[in-house]
Amino acid sequence: MSEFFLHSFNALSHGLIGYVVPFLFVLTIVVFFHELGHFLVARWAGVRVLTFSLGFGPELIGFNDRHGTRWKISAVPLGGYVKFFGDDTEASTPSPELLANMSAEERAGSFHHKRVGARAAIVAAGPIANFLLAIVIFAALFTFFGKPSTSARVDKVEAGSAASAAGFQVGDIVLAIDGTKIESFSDMQRIVGVRAGEKLNFTVKRGTETVQLQGTPEQREMKDPFGNVHRLGVLGITRQTAAGDVVTERVDPATALWLGVKETWFVIERTLAYIGGVFTGREAADQVGGPLRIAQISGQVATIGIAALVHLAAVLSVSIGLLNLFPVPLLDGGHLLFYGVEAIRGRPLSERAQEMGFRIGLGLVLMLMVFATYNDILHLAAS
């Protein structure tokens, strides 16, 4: 019996260290910088900040700073919030009673009494902070680890594949796709992987000549080293790596920063393309994941090393920043939508309209969470 409990304890400890700790590490970084963006711009705009919380629910530990802001870590580590003076809830919905009875001094520090431009800047600062965090992380990785690459050389063409139909030959080197310069085999993979079913124009070096080819990647289900299934566009080209083929290019900080911007934009572009594909039926919605999937991926990536885990934090930061910009009431994008209407009308929407909007937004967010969790459970059960 004691051996059973010891085995169970070891399994639990392994799960805690292997999945929960990397998950909390990644999520805490992303959430902290998102909320820090709101916080810093609010302080700059003269708004009184009541609470800065990592997590929701009961407080576990916290302290008050000299400005009266309560900094705390809460029990449910699935997000965070900044609560401003005048807010009724953590979602920054206004408290009509409190706003109506404020003195002139209190109104000066109230979020909801600020001009619409200041409020919009405070709200937009969270997602912007996420994008900036991703750029900095990507730039740091390029600076310290360099940019590894292998030439986009064709070593094998799969029979009956899209590459074979397009006329690719062994020894070809891909120089550009649809006018975009290809500097490595991974560059080609990334473009092809997200363009399944689309006709692409390839500029190829063949011996001493440059030829133009057209090919349409086919969508296939591919497994990564951890057994996770991904649907990707595939040409049917193989690159066999020999000693000396992988070149790590050292980059200066300015170049690394530009590469960080490009990498961040790639994640944004890929995410939007996937969402568009779901609505048009080209992509399956089963790839939408929630906290369980993030925890699983965090644990898997952590086995590769800290650099890979930090890279995941950058990707997640972009995704969370982008998600928060969707025009759904309750999210930052929903607030920005209300402020845009207010700027056009010259006055805010009625309290009833805003309340209905927040209720609809809450319903949409809850449905998304349930759907993502359902996908997570199916994914874990299949793995």
Side-chain angles (χ1 to χ4, degrees):
M1 183 66 71
S2 60
E3 290 182 0
F4 170 77
F5 283 115
L6 181 60
H7 176 75
S8 299
F9 177 77
N10 288 336
L12 180 62
S13 300
H14 175 74
L16 180 65
I17 297 173
Y19 289 94
V20 177
V21 173
F23 168 67
L24 292 180
F25 171 78
V26 168
L27 192 63
T28 299
I29 291 175
V30 173
V31 171
F32 175 78
F33 278 93
H34 179 93
E35 301 304 335
L36 186 65
H38 293 312
F39 173 82
L40 291 176
V41 177
R43 278 277 178 88
W44 172 78
V47 174
R48 182 180 163 195
V49 183
L50 300 178
T51 308
F52 186 111
S53 177
L54 288 176
F56 299 99
E59 177 181 325
L60 298 179
I61 188 172
F63 67 93
N64 292 331
D65 67 15
R66 60 189 180 89
H67 297 284
T69 300
R70 182 67 178 176
W71 295 73
K72 64 180 184 178
I73 297 176
S74 299
V76 184
L78 298 178
Y81 64 90
V82 173
K83 189 174 183 181
F84 304 118
F85 184 61
D87 286 347
D88 188 35
T89 67
E90 289 80 358
S92 209
T93 54
S95 171
E97 281 188 21
L98 181 59
L99 296 180
N101 296 313
M102 282 184 181
S103 65
E105 183 180 354
E106 289 175 327
R107 285 196 295 272
S110 167
F111 171 78
H112 298 282
H113 284 95
K114 293 297 180 183
R115 292 180 180 274
V116 66
R119 279 178 279 140
I122 293 169
V123 169
I128 291 172
N130 281 132
F131 298 142
L132 292 177
L133 172 63
I135 291 171
V136 170
I137 289 177
F138 287 138
L141 291 174
F142 282 122
T143 298
F144 293 108
F145 295 95
K147 182 186 177 185
S149 66
T150 57
S151 64
R153 187 182 70 225
V154 177
D155 290 332
K156 182 180 178 182
V157 179
E158 183 181 321
S161 66
S164 177
F168 278 94
Q169 298 179 10
V170 172
D172 286 349
I173 297 176
V174 179
L175 303 178
I177 301 177
D178 282 348
T180 300
K181 184 179 179 182
I182 300 299
E183 298 180 346
S184 67
F185 195 78
S186 61
D187 286 349
M188 181 176 66
Q189 286 179 309
R190 291 175 68 165
I191 293 177
V192 169
V194 299
R195 303 282 293 277
E198 299 180 34
K199 184 175 288 186
L200 303 177
N201 298 302
F202 297 86
T203 301
V204 175
K205 182 181 179 183
R206 180 173 293 167
T208 58
E209 299 180 349
T210 300
V211 298
Q212 300 294 325
L213 303 176
Q214 285 190 332
T216 304
E218 58 179 301
Q219 189 177 76
R220 295 185 190 174
E221 289 191 348
M222 310 289 288
K223 284 190 176 183
D224 64 22
F226 302 108
N228 300 311
V229 177
H230 306 276
R231 294 185 184 89
L232 300 171
V234 174
L235 281 173
I237 288 174
T238 302
R239 173 71 160 89
Q240 296 172 341
T241 305
D245 277 357
V246 180
V247 178
T248 300
E249 178 188 354
R250 307 301 299 181
V251 295
D252 58 85
T255 303
L257 186 62
W258 172 240
L259 291 174
V261 172
K262 290 175 64 177
E263 193 75 7
T264 300
W265 176 248
F266 173 80
V267 178
I268 293 174
E269 192 176 39
R270 176 65 190 113
T271 304
L272 292 176
Y274 172 72
I275 294 171
V278 170
F279 282 104
T280 58
R282 291 188 299 106
E283 297 278 4
D286 60 358
Q287 297 298 304
V288 176
L292 295 178
R293 183 84 61 91
I294 297 172
Q296 182 190 33
I297 293 174
S298 298
Q300 293 170 341
V301 170
T303 62
I304 301 175
I306 187 64
L309 192 61
V310 172
H311 184 277
L312 176 63
V315 173
L316 184 62
S317 187
V318 177
S319 300
I320 287 181
L322 194 58
L323 175 65
N324 270 278
L325 285 178
F326 287 175
V328 176
L330 206 69
L331 301 179
D332 293 332
H335 289 287
L336 292 173
L337 177 63
F338 284 165
Y339 299 153
V341 173
E342 180 179 343
I344 294 171
R345 296 174 74 234
R347 64 183 188 279
L349 292 170
S350 66
E351 291 178 13
R352 178 171 174 77
Q354 292 190 50
E355 182 182 355
M356 288 300 297
F358 283 118
R359 286 183 178 180
I360 293 171
L362 177 61
L364 291 172
V365 170
L366 288 176
M367 284 192 294
L368 177 61
M369 289 177 61
V370 170
F371 179 69
T373 303
Y374 173 74
N375 278 347
D376 289 351
I377 293 172
L378 291 181
H379 179 78
L380 290 172
S383 60

